[in-house]
């Protein structure tokens, strides 16, 4: 097996055993980038020299027997995570030359754990999008079929990881942006509870929605990384004082018999048959493995989720993007793309005097109702299961002329962001034409360990991650 | 139709901005003390509003704001939150200011003003809220070209805003109120409110109405950025005159925002109502709402010091001062504390505390040179000197006159102002112990006596 195709868990074992060096591992990733990224366009910036220098240092530490959690492991950061001394563009021309002077908390924690930064990944500019096509630096392609989108907005992270260009890649999930690319690229990706992982140093899209996290090849890797990046940092004031469990240690504990809620609003129509069948098959598999039962549930305010999301999120966006006023970052406001302009306009309108009550305030009330929907359901069931995307990955250009159709890709995932709860995307197989399909397991606040345990049980029985795209 | 237009009265509301002198800024851990510092040396990603940076509120600043609210008799709502005030200005790095809109830390209090003798008037306080200060623009000529430079040292320094109801009815009340707030925040120790450093700034809201009219005028003129009592007074005087003249001429006045020209001491038009900003306030999602348990409010309440009025009453009672003396001594907390220590010592020395009070008020002794206890001892000693030592003073006078023959001649030629010089010299010789009144009498006698030769 090629080094760049290893999971973190496997690579770590090899590094600690001395089977190969971090330099070799990093070189394997860089070689894959060189070979394929001119087509895939997963990266905006590749840090070849820096990465190799870091790898050499890691090798020295490995020889000394130093054991850090991610020592020598090559990772990539979505280009919304600011990195000291490494250009951070947010996928927009507005920040095309911006070199931050500090590291995001997540970046710092990765570095402290010994990880090596191979580069910064492509994305829909500012995180605005579900396909990756809103990037100012070219649309990323899905490694499973390059005519298809990899899912957005963490498009580059999904594609880079699926293509074996790194061993993990960060993402941010404001409405779908970790889970959708994970689903479209046969990866594990978790939208964590709001406040689980610090937002400090993550270029803000919508502050009350943004959830930084990671895409990984396996649930085991996901647990290991979540343990490293979770918990208060004294810089993000919205993080509660919530203990960080030893996610990787409790991973193999039994889940016990499960009550699985299937919301009728998520399954009633508009779900692609192949997607629906694979998801139902996966749920049956989980019941076979853990025991349990399916309980039909209802989330009655689901139909208001998209309108609610598209009032609150653009409102926050319009304010968060105000700092790019053309004075400080060298480029004018004319460099904003269409989607950012559309959202700035929507948000500014919704917050204007005379419209605030009818739009923003009303949407806030709906947000409360959607939260309550979930709370009620979680008093009856352990988790909710549903497809991540109602459809298979779509082709590049298929939805670019219809923003509304694009927005609807998020219809099953964005209610979770409105409620601030966690959801884990698991690969559940492939369509007839070889495209990956994902399922999400949704839990109550701070129930990540439960989601990871269910995912791990299923993963061990199915091992979808062992199937790789041909690049 | 224009009946009684000649008898107009001002309706004034005031907004006071106060920089809190906490150690750290409001939303980051940079030092809050920015005055006179090298530009942009006290900054970090947060106060520069860099991409990805987040605000982390300063608990001390929040508690100081609540303390001021309590001192103003405000209600402290159980829940408060921060909001974003969105507007564009180059000194505002995020494109919005973190402020408080509809759920401030303190609501609805009042401050009692003494107007004349024993008449009091309460100016109602609408609210006290907390926000962050902005950066500062500096306009410079560099290499023959005009540049506007931005200094972010002040960015995110905690700024408290006290907003009154339109209860102020004259310039005297306006200045008295401003001074009262100034005194209060210094007493609370939350800000020195040094206007030269911009730590206290005013925004004036003023309109005019016929004296017998009880309802508020249908317009309001706001004058921004007044950073001294002198400018506040000048702006109010100018507006009263300008608006009165306009109304008497039958002009209709409109809602507007005006600036103040510090050189010409006049206000000038800035923005009409139509051009007013829509700040698009909405909740600041980066900071969770703050809720107070009753115990937290009680804890802050314990920090409330004895305020000037209470101190005055106690000084009159415990140290037998008259109201005027008590008022003079309690204007500044440091002075009141100094007096109190000296007065306690005086009581121990069987000396009238009122003598200490008079010595401090009349600046008969330079208090900066003595500890309160030394002061009490000196005055006790002086009391003895005055009783027994008239001849000592005469000797000192003679000594000083002999030392300065030139000045003596010039005095006799008519430069009678020199009397102060002689008194000063004699006080110095006596190390502050001579009684100025006795000294003056002896001195005058000596200077005039010898003229007869
Ligand atoms: Zn700072």
């Amino acid at each position: 097996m090629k080094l760049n195709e290893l999971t973190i868990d496997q690579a770590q074992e090899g590094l600690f055993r001395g089977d190969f060096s971090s330099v070799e591992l990093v070189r394997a990733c860089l070689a894959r980038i060189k070979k394929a990224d001119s087509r895939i366009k997963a990266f905006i910036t590749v840090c070849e020299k820096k990465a190799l220098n870091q790898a050499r240092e890691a090798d020295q530490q490995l020889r000394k027997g130093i054991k850090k959690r991610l020592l020598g492991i090559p990772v990539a950061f979505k280009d919304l995570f600011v990195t000291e001394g490494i250009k951070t563009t947010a996928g927009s021309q507005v920040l095309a030359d911006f070199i931050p002077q500090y590291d995001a908390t997540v970046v710092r924690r990765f570095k402290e754990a010994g990880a090596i930064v191979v580069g910064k990944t492509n994305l829909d500019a500012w995180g605005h999008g579900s396909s990756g096509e809103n990037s100012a630096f070219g649309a990323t392609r899905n490694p499973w079929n390059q005519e298809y989108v990899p899912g957005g907005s963490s498009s580059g992270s999904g594609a880079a990881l699926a293509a074996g260009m790194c061993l993990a890649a960060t993402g941010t999930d404001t409405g779908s942006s970790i889970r959708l690319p994970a689903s479209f690229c046969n990866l594990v990706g978790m939208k964590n509870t709001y406040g689980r992982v610090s937002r400090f140093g993550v270029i803000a899209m919508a502050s009350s929605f943004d959830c930084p996290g990671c895409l990984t090849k396996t649930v085991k890797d996901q647990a290991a990384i979540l343990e490293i990046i979770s918990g208060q940092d004294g810089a993000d004031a919205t993080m509660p004082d919530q203990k960080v469990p030893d996610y990787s240690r409790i991973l193999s504990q039994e889940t016990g018999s499960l009550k699985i809620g299937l919301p009728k609003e998520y399954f009633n129509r508009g779900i692609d048959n192949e997607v629906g069948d694979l998801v139902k098959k996966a749920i049956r598999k989980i019941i076979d493995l853990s025991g349990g039962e399916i309980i039909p549930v209802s989330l009655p305010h689901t139909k208001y989720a998209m309108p609610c999301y598209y009032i609150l999120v653009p409102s926050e966006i319009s304010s968060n993007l105000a700092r790019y006023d053309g004075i400080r970052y060298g480029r004018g406001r004319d460099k904003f793309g269409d989607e950012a302009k559309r959202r700035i306009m929507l948000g500014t309108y919704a917050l204007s005097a005379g419209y605030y009550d009818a739009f923003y305030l009303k949407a806030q009330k709906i947000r409360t109702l959607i939260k309550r929907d979930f709370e009620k359901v979680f008093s009856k069931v352990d988790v909710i299961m549903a497809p991540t995307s109602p459809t298979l990955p779509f082709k590049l250009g298929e939805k670019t002329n219809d923003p509304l159709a694009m927005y609807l890709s998020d219809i099953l995932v964005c209610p979770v962001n409105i409620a601030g709860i966690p959801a884990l995307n698991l690969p559940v197989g492939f369509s007839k034409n070889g495209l990956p399909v994902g399922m999400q397991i949704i839990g109550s606040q701070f129930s990540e360990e439960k989601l990871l345990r269910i995912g791990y049980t299923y993963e061990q029985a199915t091992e979808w991650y062992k199937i790789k795209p041909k690049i | 139709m224009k009946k009684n237009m000649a008898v107009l009265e001002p309706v004034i509301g005031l907004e006071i901005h106060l920089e809190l002198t906490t150690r750290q800024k409001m939303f980051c851990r940079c030092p809050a003390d920015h005055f006179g510092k090298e530009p942009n040396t006290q900054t970090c990603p947060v106060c520069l509003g860099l991409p990805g940076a987040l605000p982390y509120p300063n608990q001390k600043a929040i508690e100081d704001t609540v303390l001021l609210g309590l001192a103003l008799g405000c209600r402290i709502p159980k829940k408060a939150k921060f909001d974003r005030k969105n507007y564009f200005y180059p000194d505002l790095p995020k494109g919005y200011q973190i402020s408080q809109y509809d759920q401030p830390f303190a609501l609805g209090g009042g401050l009692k003003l003494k107007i004349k003798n024993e008449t009091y008037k309460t100016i109602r306080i609408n609210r006290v809220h907390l926000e962050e200060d902005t950066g500062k623009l500096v306009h410079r000529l560099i290499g023959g070209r005009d540049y506007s430079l931005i200094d972010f040292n002040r960015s995110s320094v905690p700024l408290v805003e006290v907003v009154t109801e339109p209860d102020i009815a004259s310039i005297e009340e306006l200045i008295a109120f401003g001074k009262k707030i100034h005194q209060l925040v210094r007493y609370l120790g939350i800000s020195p409110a040094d206007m030269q450093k911009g730590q206290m700034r005013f925004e004036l809201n003023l309109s005019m109405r016929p004296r017998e009219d009880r309802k508020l005028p249908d317009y309001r003129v706001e004058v921004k950025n007044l950073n001294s009592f002198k400018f506040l007074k000048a702006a109010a005087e100018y507006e009263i005159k300008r608006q009165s003249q306009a109304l008497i001429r039958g002009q209709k006045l409109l809602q507007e925002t005006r600036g103040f020209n510090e050189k010409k001491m006049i206000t000038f038009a800035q923005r009409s109502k139509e051009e007013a900003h829509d700040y698009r306030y909405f909740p600041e999602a980066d900071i969770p709402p703050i809720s107070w348990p009753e115990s937290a409010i009680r804890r802050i309440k314990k920090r409330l010091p004895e305020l000037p009025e209470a101190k005055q009453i106690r000084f009159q009672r415990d140290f037998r001062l008259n109201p005027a003396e008590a008022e003079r001594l309690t204007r500044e907390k440091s002075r009141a504390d100094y007096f109190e220590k000296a007065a306690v010592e005086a009581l121990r020395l069987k000396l009238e505390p009122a003598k200490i009070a008079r010595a401090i008020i009349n600046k008969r002794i330079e208090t900066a040179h003595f500890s309160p206890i030394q002061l009490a001892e000196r005055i006790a000693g002086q009391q003895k000197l005055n009783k027994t030592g008239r001849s000592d003073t005469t000797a000192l006078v003679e000594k000083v006159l002999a030392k300065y023959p030139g000045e003596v001649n010039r005095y006799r030629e008519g430069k009678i102002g020199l009397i102060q010089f002689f008194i000063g010299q004699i006080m110095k010789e006596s190390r502050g112990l001579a009684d100025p009144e006795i000294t003056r009498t002896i001195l005058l006698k000596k200077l005039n006596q010898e003229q007869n030769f």
Side-chain angles (χ1 to χ4, degrees):
Chain A
M1 197 186 219
K2 291 179 186 129
L3 292 183
N4 56 308
E5 290 183 349
L6 297 174
T7 65
I8 292 177
D9 187 47
Q10 292 162 340
Q12 216 167 31
E13 236 185 275
L15 286 171
F16 287 150
R17 235 184 0 236
D19 295 349
F20 49 86
S21 68
S22 172
V23 169
E24 287 170 299
L25 181 59
V26 170
R27 280 222 169 98
C29 290
L30 290 169
R32 177 59 62 89
I33 294 171
K34 266 196 192 129
K35 185 183 161 211
D37 205 41
S38 57
R39 284 171 287 136
I40 303 283
K41 294 198 176 72
F43 283 89
I44 292 174
T45 306
V46 179
C47 312
E48 184 173 348
K49 229 169 138 186
K50 259 189 192 158
L52 285 170
N53 282 337
Q54 283 174 357
R56 277 182 210 107
E57 278 171 37
D59 282 333
Q60 278 176 13
Q61 293 186 24
L62 281 162
R63 276 194 292 276
K64 282 185 205 149
I66 293 170
K67 287 203 171 162
K68 290 186 203 158
R69 307 286 313 264
L70 296 174
L71 187 56
I73 303 290
V75 301
F77 295 113
K78 184 181 188 179
D79 217 12
L80 278 181
F81 290 73
V82 303
T83 39
E84 186 183 346
I86 303 172
K87 188 175 78 174
T88 301
T89 66
S92 168
Q93 283 295 344
V94 174
L95 290 182
D97 315 309
F98 174 59
I99 297 176
Q101 37 179 281
Y102 74 108
D103 277 332
T105 296
V106 169
V107 171
R108 184 170 53 76
R109 290 194 174 163
F110 263 100
K111 283 185 176 173
E112 282 167 1
I116 286 158
V117 189
V118 290
K120 304 295 295 288
T121 59
N122 205 350
L123 67 154
D124 287 294
W126 311 105
H128 303 169
S130 308
S131 69
E133 291 164 291
N134 287 333
S135 169
F137 303 100
T140 306
R141 287 163 187 270
N142 193 324
W144 291 92
N145 184 333
Q146 292 178 27
E147 285 175 33
Y148 287 80
V149 302
S153 66
S154 312
S155 50
S157 286
L161 188 59
M165 297 169 175
C166 56
L167 270 59
T170 64
T172 55
D173 197 316
T174 304
S176 68
S177 295
I178 287 177
R179 287 163 293 161
L180 205 61
S183 164
F184 283 10
C185 296
N186 192 41
L187 298 168
V188 174
M190 182 137 70
K191 180 244 171 254
N192 303 301
T193 305
Y194 182 81
R196 174 77 296 184
V197 176
S198 170
R199 293 178 294 117
F200 188 74
V202 179
I203 295 178
M205 176 173 157
S207 311
S208 73
F209 291 79
D210 295 346
C211 289
C214 208
L215 291 101
T216 54
K217 294 172 183 173
T218 63
V219 174
K220 198 168 188 186
D221 287 357
Q222 184 73 217
I225 286 176
L226 187 60
E227 209 172 300
I228 292 165
I229 61 175
S230 292
Q232 286 182 313
D233 65 345
D236 177 348
T238 59
M239 302 180 78
D241 184 10
Q242 178 84 22
K243 197 180 157 292
V244 179
D246 295 336
Y247 289 116
S248 41
R249 188 162 351 130
I250 53 187
L251 202 57
S252 46
Q253 288 173 10
E254 301 257 321
T255 59
S257 176
L258 293 170
K259 285 182 185 159
I260 300 169
L262 298 193
K264 65 172 190 222
E265 292 81 2
Y266 286 25
F267 284 90
N268 55 3
R269 68 194 143 83
I271 306 283
D272 178 279
N273 283 337
E274 276 192 276
V275 171
D277 289 347
L278 284 170
V279 167
K280 279 176 201 149
K281 208 171 135 195
I283 295 170
R284 278 197 300 275
K285 181 85 187 171
I286 288 170
I287 291 175
D288 285 347
L289 292 164
S290 307
E293 54 181 322
I294 286 172
I295 297 174
V297 294
S298 172
L299 297 164
H301 295 93
T302 300
K303 57 177 177 289
Y304 303 116
M306 290 310 284
C308 166
Y309 182 88
Y310 274 98
I311 286 170
L312 295 181
V313 169
S315 295
E316 295 186 16
I317 286 172
S318 72
S319 173
N320 283 333
L321 292 183
R323 70 187 63 191
Y324 309 106
D325 53 13
I327 295 178
R328 271 169 296 268
Y329 304 101
R331 283 163 180 252
R333 283 179 280 192
D334 57 314
K335 295 287 188 277
F336 276 114
D338 285 347
E339 186 60 29
K341 285 182 190 160
R342 186 153 37 234
R343 295 189 189 202
I344 292 170
M345 294 295 285
L346 276 171
T348 306
Y349 183 81
L351 290 175
S352 296
Y355 298 100
Y356 181 84
D357 288 5
F359 293 106
Y360 185 88
L361 213 58
K362 190 130 211 181
Q364 281 287 35
K365 286 177 185 159
I366 293 170
R367 186 173 198 176
T368 306
L369 294 175
I370 289 172
K371 268 185 203 169
R372 274 193 211 141
D373 277 1
F374 279 107
E375 279 163 18
K376 264 186 218 154
V377 167
F378 285 124
S379 66
K380 283 181 270 177
V381 304
D382 296 307
V383 289
I384 291 169
M385 293 189 188
T388 297
S389 162
T391 66
L392 292 169
F394 46 91
K395 283 187 171 168
L396 272 91
E398 202 178 312
K399 298 186 182 180
T400 39
N401 292 325
D402 187 355
L404 275 180
M406 187 73 92
Y407 294 171
L408 289 176
S409 318
D410 299 346
I411 195 151
L412 301 176
V413 272
C414 92
V416 165
N417 297 74
I418 294 174
I421 53 181
L424 176 70
N425 176 78
L426 280 182
V428 293
F430 295 85
S431 70
K432 285 195 278 298
N433 60 352
L435 292 168
V437 171
M439 170 180 91
Q440 53 174 345
I441 310 177
I442 305 168
S444 56
Q445 294 252 335
F446 294 103
S447 66
E448 280 86 352
E449 49 179 293
K450 193 191 286 174
L451 307 186
L452 289 168
R453 277 210 292 257
I454 297 168
Y456 186 60
T457 310
Y458 175 79
E459 178 177 277
Q460 282 180 307
T462 53
E463 297 189 324
W464 295 113
Y465 67 91
K466 290 197 168 162
I467 304 174
K468 308 281 177 191
K470 288 179 194 67
I471 309 286
Chain B
M1 187 193 92
K2 293 278 167 301
K3 59 175 169 65
N4 294 327
M5 265 308 191
V7 209
L8 291 168
E9 67 169 12
V11 179
I12 305 173
L14 195 59
E15 288 171 30
I16 303 176
H17 283 103
L18 295 153
E19 269 184 10
L20 296 177
T21 43
T22 47
R23 210 160 49 77
Q24 295 169 327
K25 289 187 180 180
M26 186 59 228
F27 295 118
C28 62
R29 305 292 77 92
C30 290
D33 174 24
H34 60 87
F35 188 77
K37 297 282 180 343
E38 185 76 16
N40 296 311
T41 53
Q42 316 218 69
T43 58
C44 71
V46 177
C47 55
L48 289 173
L50 291 186
L54 295 174
Y56 201 89
N58 179 339
Q59 191 62 27
K60 175 72 166 52
I62 293 175
E63 292 188 6
D64 283 0
T65 307
V66 170
L67 185 71
L68 177 57
L70 289 169
L72 288 169
C74 293
R75 186 162 57 77
I76 309 300
K78 285 225 165 64
K79 264 195 173 162
K81 68 175 168 70
F82 285 102
D83 297 277
R84 289 189 185 176
K85 181 180 181 181
N86 296 284
Y87 69 95
F88 170 77
Y89 204 70
D91 65 9
L92 191 67
K94 297 189 295 298
Y96 57 84
Q97 180 187 30
I98 304 176
S99 181
Q100 296 190 283
Y101 182 56
D102 55 352
Q103 289 181 263
F105 287 121
L107 279 167
L111 191 60
K112 214 156 102 179
L113 283 187
K114 193 173 184 178
I115 313 180
K116 283 180 212 113
N117 306 322
E118 292 309 303
T119 348
Y120 290 88
K121 175 174 179 179
T122 297
I123 306 298
R124 287 170 303 152
I125 305 292
N126 174 289
R127 58 191 272 152
V128 181
H129 76 243
L130 181 55
E131 58 191 28
E132 55 178 342
D133 213 339
T134 62
K136 230 184 208 165
L137 289 183
V138 185
H139 307 283
R140 285 267 162 75
L141 200 67
I142 301 172
R145 289 181 63 188
D146 279 326
Y147 282 90
S148 290
L149 306 168
I150 316 175
D151 176 8
F152 288 108
N153 283 350
R154 196 179 71 177
S155 174
S156 196
V157 165
L159 196 63
V160 166
E161 187 171 329
V162 178
V163 183
T164 75
E165 297 292 351
D167 289 351
I168 303 168
S170 69
I171 291 194
E172 292 69 39
E173 285 177 25
L174 176 67
I175 301 303
F177 178 81
K179 294 216 157 136
K180 198 91 195 144
I181 293 278
H182 185 256
Q183 179 189 47
L184 183 63
V185 297
R186 289 174 64 92
Y187 254 79
L188 297 176
I190 59 176
S191 172
D194 184 338
M195 279 179 261
Q196 245 131 42
K197 293 184 180 176
Q199 288 167 338
M200 185 171 180
R201 285 134 37 198
F202 303 103
E203 252 171 66
L204 177 71
N205 284 297
L206 194 147
S207 46
M208 302 296 292
R209 69 177 168 201
R211 182 155 286 167
E212 65 277 11
D213 225 345
R214 275 358 281 162
K215 61 179 197 294
L216 292 175
D218 58 359
Y219 74 98
R220 195 180 66 193
V221 174
E222 193 177 322
V223 187
K224 289 204 175 265
N225 274 328
L226 301 163
N227 50 23
S228 75
F229 283 119
K230 195 173 121 196
F231 296 152
L232 175 65
K233 187 164 180 245
E237 279 168 350
Y238 184 82
E239 276 304 304
I240 289 173
K241 212 166 121 196
R242 185 186 71 84
Q243 292 181 27
S244 302
Q245 285 171 354
L247 290 170
I248 287 164
R249 277 200 304 271
Q251 248 173 291
K252 182 153 176 56
L253 287 169
L254 297 171
Q255 193 102 341
E256 64 168 335
T257 302
R258 298 177 74 86
F260 184 72
N261 183 322
E262 295 177 4
K263 285 199 188 92
K264 297 186 188 156
M265 299 286 266
I266 60 170
T267 71
F268 57 91
Q270 258 179 347
R271 275 195 305 272
S272 70
K273 193 182 177 184
E274 288 71 37
E275 298 159 316
H277 287 303
D278 176 0
Y279 290 119
R280 303 190 311 279
Y281 280 102
F282 77 107
E284 168 54 288
D286 286 331
I287 304 169
I290 293 114
S291 35
W292 298 98
E294 203 55 53
S295 61
I297 309 279
R298 270 201 304 274
R299 186 170 49 78
I300 299 170
K301 224 174 218 162
K302 281 200 190 116
R303 277 180 58 201
L304 269 181
E306 184 184 33
L307 295 176
E309 288 70 24
K311 227 183 243 307
Q312 283 168 29
I313 291 166
R314 190 167 58 82
F315 280 7
Q316 291 178 45
R317 188 190 62 214
D318 292 0
F319 303 126
R320 292 183 295 279
L321 304 189
N322 66 38
E325 287 165 343
E327 190 275 326
R328 288 284 294 272
L329 286 172
T330 53
R331 277 183 199 169
E332 281 284 343
K333 186 169 181 293
S334 54
R335 199 187 207 196
D337 290 346
Y338 182 96
F339 163 75
E340 184 164 2
K341 282 194 193 116
V344 168
E345 179 66 12
L347 287 174
R348 207 181 60 80
L349 296 171
K350 309 258 183 298
L351 175 74
E352 279 281 322
K355 287 215 163 67
I356 305 268
R358 270 165 241 144
I360 296 174
I361 292 167
N362 301 331
K363 295 204 178 70
R364 211 179 296 158
I365 288 181
E366 199 47 69
T367 50
H369 297 162
F370 305 109
S371 75
I373 292 183
Q374 283 173 329
L375 179 81
E377 282 167 351
R378 294 221 161 224
I379 293 174
Q382 195 181 44
Q383 207 169 23
K384 275 179 224 144
L385 186 75
N386 288 341
K387 274 181 196 145
T388 60
R390 205 179 161 87
S391 57
D392 297 342
T393 310
T394 311
L396 276 176
V397 171
E398 283 165 355
K399 189 178 162 196
V400 166
L401 292 183
K403 202 169 160 187
Y404 297 102
E407 280 74 9
V408 171
N409 280 334
R410 277 166 54 211
Y411 174 87
R412 288 179 179 151
E413 284 157 21
K415 278 225 131 217
I416 53 165
L418 277 168
I419 189 86
Q420 286 308 329
F421 167 78
F422 293 121
I423 294 174
Q425 290 304 316
I426 291 158
M427 294 309 285
K428 210 166 130 192
E429 284 284 332
S430 73
R431 297 191 316 280
L433 286 179
D435 183 295
E437 279 315 304
I438 296 171
T439 306
R440 177 185 287 268
T441 319
I442 297 172
L443 194 57
L444 283 171
K445 213 165 108 192
K446 286 272 164 202
L447 285 165
N448 295 328
Q449 225 173 39
E450 283 167 38
Q451 222 170 3
N452 295 337
F453 285 103

